[in-house]
Amino acid sequence: MQVPIPEIVLVGKQGSGKSALIEAILGFPLNYISAGGSATTTTKRPIFISLVCANVEATKFILRRDLTVEGADRDIDVELKDLPQHLEKRLAKSSAQPIYLQIESKNCINFTLIDSPGLEQGQQQADAAADSNSSENEQLILSLVRPAHRHIM
């Protein structure tokens, strides 16, 4: 019997620190959410961060192809310092289509962290479009946490 690789889904309100917790677990900043608490970018799409134990000299960061973004039609290796700009570009538009980042290192265990878009803060919705977006966001998060092998944080 093969045991699936653990997947941990982080769920919470917008601005509750899900992305910061992921950075703390990883041990380095991804900085796709602006530092200092004044985020200009939020997690508008699920981000699957797969850690893979591999026999590599240096840690590798691989962004998988993303057909929702122009010019991202193939996998690319990126430097950690360039990763924030690539992620910010992919987070520019909301979508249910996940962003896939694979991190290969000889100093990790195999598992996946899933950064979900934040739940609405409970504020009154100003219009029907905002209410619809909130409902779509909730459905997206439910689909992320539904598989039995995923753990919710």
Side-chain angles (χ1 to χ4, degrees), residues 10-133:
L10 281 83
V11 177
K13 293 180 180 177
Q14 291 175 349
S16 63
K18 297 178 302 297
S19 300
L21 178 58
I22 286 177
E23 291 180 344
I25 291 169
L26 294 175
F28 48 81
L30 297 175
N31 291 324
Y32 56 91
I33 303 299
S34 297
S38 59
T40 57
T41 303
T42 60
T43 306
K44 297 177 185 173
R45 298 173 58 189
I47 304 174
F48 283 61
I49 304 170
S50 298
L51 282 85
V52 178
C53 185
N55 189 16
V56 292
E57 287 297 315
T59 301
K60 289 177 61 174
F61 300 87
I62 304 162
L63 273 168
R64 298 293 177 199
R65 73 183 191 151
D66 186 343
L67 300 178
T68 66
V69 176
E70 188 175 325
D73 57 348
R74 61 184 173 81
D75 295 354
I76 57 169
D77 289 359
V78 296
E79 299 281 330
L80 179 59
K81 66 179 178 60
D82 299 327
L83 188 57
Q85 75 183 44
H86 287 281
L87 288 170
E88 216 170 298
K89 181 179 179 183
R90 292 170 188 233
L91 287 166
K93 294 182 183 175
S94 295
S95 171
Q97 181 65 35
I99 297 168
Y100 295 96
L101 170 63
Q102 182 170 312
I103 301 173
E104 297 180 359
S105 174
K106 60 183 173 185
N107 300 316
C108 71
I109 59 171
N110 294 331
F111 75 102
T112 299
L113 293 166
I114 302 170
D115 191 2
S116 67
L119 295 166
E120 295 297 321
Q121 294 283 359
Q123 300 169 341
Q124 295 284 35
Q125 296 296 325
D127 57 34
D131 194 34
S132 173
N133 287 342

